[in-house]
Amino acid sequence: MFGVIISGRPVLTTFDTISPTQAQLTIPTFPPFGHIVVFMLPGATLPEGQSAAVYIRIPPSYEFKLWGELSNTKQSAIFKIRNTSSGNGGNNLGAVDMDAMIDEDAQAKQMGGSVEPVTIGISLEPTVQLEANITAQKAAATASVTGLELVRHTPGAVASQVSTKVLAQRIIANAFNFLASFSSAGSGGNEVVPLKSFQEWWKKFERKVEMDPTFLERGDV
């Protein structure tokens, strides 16, 4: 139903089925690439009220992060990959959907087979819920880069106070990014996430707060 295009490589259409509503595709990170096109195959249609959420996992992270969506009225999307050697990996709002970063050093190591591939995940989700999640994530990302809610983090600097609403949005985005990869189809076509997965997220979130109490204020979700 879906395909992926990376410049200079063959079109990829062989996704691994994870569940009736989820599939994933792994992509070697070497040679380096700048953009990924995700699209619906000709003749493919999504169920009424459903859209395809596009997630990405970039090593060494084990978390899938929400990039965007495909729908019957938007059957393709271009995602920009920003190569960087700064080591600041993460997802930021960009001019073309959602940007992601791949460390150039990690790409070089791929020649020796020591780096895991990028993984693209597709998940069929209710359109209303998915669009709300994308809006919340973009709002949180915009808040972290516009300087309206806080000062850009620099060594030794103290971030300005962030509103409770923005902090809540970032906690929700953090939980959603982690739990999305564990969801599966339940009765009535609803997405179900095991309680154990939420417990694992909470433990990880607590450890992150203990190690760096200001990460939410900086928007590093």
Side-chain angles (χ1 to χ4, degrees), residues 18-23 50 122-126 129 179-195 197:
I18 305 302
S19 74
T21 60
Q22 294 177 311
Q50 299 280 306
I122 302 290
S123 175
L124 296 185
E125 301 176 7
Q129 176 185 325
L179 297 174
S181 60
F182 294 95
S183 65
S184 59
S187 60
N190 296 320
E191 294 292 322
V192 177
V193 177
L195 180 60
S197 299

Side-chain angles (χ1 to χ4, degrees), residues 37-201:
V37 178
V38 183
F39 63 96
M40 293 172 56
L41 297 178
T45 57
L46 298 175
E48 185 70 23
Q50 299 280 306
S51 292
V54 181
Y55 296 89
I56 186 172
R57 183 182 75 82
I58 297 179
S61 173
Y62 287 97
E63 292 185 27
F64 281 86
K65 294 193 174 183
L66 179 62
W67 261 18
E69 66 173 323
L70 301 180
S71 66
N72 290 329
T73 57
K74 180 189 177 185
Q75 298 191 358
S76 64
I78 302 175
F79 301 102
K80 180 180 178 183
I81 303 295
R82 292 183 296 152
N83 297 324
T84 177
S85 58
S86 63
N88 296 326
N91 282 42
N92 298 298
L93 190 65
V96 185
D97 287 307
M98 196 73 71
D99 283 355
M101 295 182 176
I102 296 180
D103 193 293
E104 289 177 345
D105 292 335
Q107 288 179 324
K109 293 176 183 177
Q110 178 68 30
M111 296 180 64
S114 59
V115 176
E116 295 182 24
V118 167
T119 302
I120 291 180
I122 302 290
S123 175
L124 296 185
E125 301 176 7
T127 299
V128 174
Q129 176 185 325
L130 176 57
E131 291 182 348
N133 292 332
I134 291 175
T135 298
Q137 180 162 307
K138 287 185 176 181
T142 301
S144 69
V145 298
T146 58
L148 295 178
E149 285 76 20
L150 68 162
V151 177
R152 288 180 180 273
H153 178 72
T154 54
V158 178
S160 60
Q161 185 174 4
V162 184
S163 69
T164 302
K165 178 180 178 180
V166 172
L167 287 175
Q169 289 175 334
R170 292 175 183 171
I171 293 173
I172 293 171
N174 185 283
F176 181 83
N177 289 335
F178 182 85
L179 297 174
S181 60
F182 294 95
S183 65
S184 59
S187 60
N190 296 320
E191 294 292 322
V192 177
V193 177
L195 180 60
K196 182 179 179 181
S197 299
F198 181 84
Q199 294 172 334
E200 290 176 358
W201 167 77

